[in-house]
Amino acid sequence: MQSDSIQIKSVEESKISRYIIEYTMKDWLDLIENDVVIVGAGPSGMAAAYYLAKAGLKTVVFERRLSFGGGIGGGAMLFHKIVIESPADEILREMGIKLIKAEEGVYIVDTAEFMAKLAASAISAGAKIIHGITVDDVIFRENPLRVAGVAVEWTATQMAGLHVDPIFISAKAVVDATGHDAEVISVASRKIPELGISIPGEKSAYSEVAEKLTVENTGMVAPGLYATGMAVTEVKGLPRMGPIFGAMVLSGKKVAEDIIRDLRNS
Ligand code: 48H
Ligand code: FE2
């Protein structure tokens, strides 16, 4: 069967498979060693990835799901608008995200546009985002004591409950951007008690102070291990802020600035 109007280049099935495997494996070989591994492609993780990659650091984001955005897509009660307040609007403007002004310094954004353009900005800046991967442990070193990378596994393998060992990925800095559960810091605190991390857990809502506290407390929690976004509220015992996202992108920017400074000084 041949059509006269459209000439689509034919590619054999075996070639399609070869290209996919060959180019995926090239990437994976390159992903073994990184400046920064970010766990979670929510608002804080993607904002961090954008600023880290923009500064020239080799940055990879591992995301458990097959989508970007974390809690953005669900918004509040599944409504498709979210609230952003100054000065976070500057970050969104930089990424070309449309803002509707609700009042001085308070803006409304579409969830789909926010997710898509955050991801596009991080990728265009040079960050790699890999979907369908769950981080379930960290690598550590003694003398000096530090976190030196992560253990990764297919999310599908975990969901199937199969006993499959992970592979290890090294990084000079690991960022927990996993949201409310602070999964990476939680596993590090449990399995490496020498790090001295104790997790008080997030408090109930107090939006007016929560955002400022979350951004201020963003940063290193142990050598090589950083918290951003809602992971900060969990690890530092801060109140939650509800469906407002300014602090998430500001926290992502702050963790990036801290890592850039720390890696330059080391
Ligand atoms: C790989 C993982 C793993 C893992 C989780 O929840 P997120 O959106 O996180 P933040 O902190 O960037 O944003 C929080 C925001 O969405 C929110 O919930 C707010 C502002 N709440 C306020 C309130 O009061 O409730 O994204 C985390 C991402 C998700 O995409 C997860 O799938 C992913 O991380 N993830 N990926 N390995 N172990 N754990
Ligand atoms: Fe939340």
Side-chain angles (χ1 to χ4, degrees):
M1 285 194 294
Q2 284 229 325
S3 152
D4 294 336
S5 49
I6 310 172
Q7 290 300 320
I8 298 180
K9 166 116 176 122
S10 67
V11 189
E12 265 177 36
E13 292 86 346
S14 57
K15 264 197 165 182
I16 300 174
S17 306
R18 175 176 295 278
Y19 286 145
I20 290 171
I21 294 171
E22 185 182 335
Y23 284 85
T24 302
M25 290 311 145
K26 269 188 195 159
D27 264 13
W28 270 102
L29 286 172
D30 189 51
L31 289 171
I32 295 170
E33 288 171 308
N34 305 278
D35 290 323
V36 188
V37 164
I38 297 172
V39 187
S44 66
M46 288 197 291
Y50 169 70
Y51 286 105
L52 287 161
K54 211 171 146 202
L57 293 177
K58 189 178 172 203
T59 304
V60 59
V61 183
F62 290 115
E63 167 54 49
R64 164 181 288 160
R65 295 191 242 174
L66 299 179
S67 56
F68 305 111
I72 298 173
M77 287 270 298
L78 297 176
F79 294 133
H80 72 276
K81 298 282 187 198
I82 57 130
V83 178
I84 283 276
E85 72 290 24
S86 64
D89 59 308
E90 288 163 24
I91 298 176
L92 274 70
R93 278 180 225 283
E94 200 177 315
M95 297 176 174
I97 297 167
K98 282 191 289 298
L99 299 149
I100 304 166
K101 186 172 167 183
E103 61 178 90
E104 201 53 49
V106 181
Y107 304 89
I108 311 301
V109 177
D110 269 35
T111 52
E113 183 175 2
F114 189 28
M115 291 190 284
K117 290 189 176 169
L118 256 178
S121 301
I123 293 166
S124 297
K128 200 96 192 165
I129 304 183
I130 308 288
H131 285 123
I133 297 287
T134 294
V135 169
D136 67 1
D137 204 346
V138 297
I139 308 171
F140 77 107
R141 291 286 180 271
E142 290 170 326
N143 306 316
L145 183 64
R146 66 189 193 281
V147 169
V150 295
V152 302
E153 183 58 270
W154 306 119
T155 303
T157 303
Q158 287 216 330
M159 289 171 79
L162 301 174
H163 180 158
V164 179
D165 277 355
I167 59 167
F168 298 116
I169 303 288
S170 73
K172 295 173 190 157
V174 173
V175 182
D176 187 333
T178 65
H180 290 271
D181 294 333
E183 289 191 20
V184 182
I185 296 170
S186 176
V187 77
S189 89
R190 185 163 46 82
K191 295 173 90 168
I192 320 168
E194 305 91 301
L195 290 173
I197 304 169
S198 66
I199 302 181
E202 163 188 300
K203 287 186 175 164
S204 296
Y206 188 176
S207 306
E208 284 165 49
V209 300
E211 290 216 289
K212 185 173 161 26
L213 287 172
T214 299
V215 179
E216 282 173 0
N217 282 275
T218 293
M220 192 192 280
V221 294
L225 182 59
Y226 295 75
T228 185
M230 288 311 284
V232 177
T233 62
E234 175 72 5
V235 170
K236 302 287 180 177
L238 306 176
R240 67 189 296 188
M241 67 289 292
I244 178 161
F245 283 78
M248 297 298 106
V249 289
L250 290 168
S251 172
K253 185 177 184 187
K254 170 146 194 311
V255 85
E257 287 166 352
D258 285 6
I259 292 169
I260 293 162
R261 181 200 61 214
D262 294 349
L263 294 188
R264 282 196 182 134
N265 291 341
S266 70

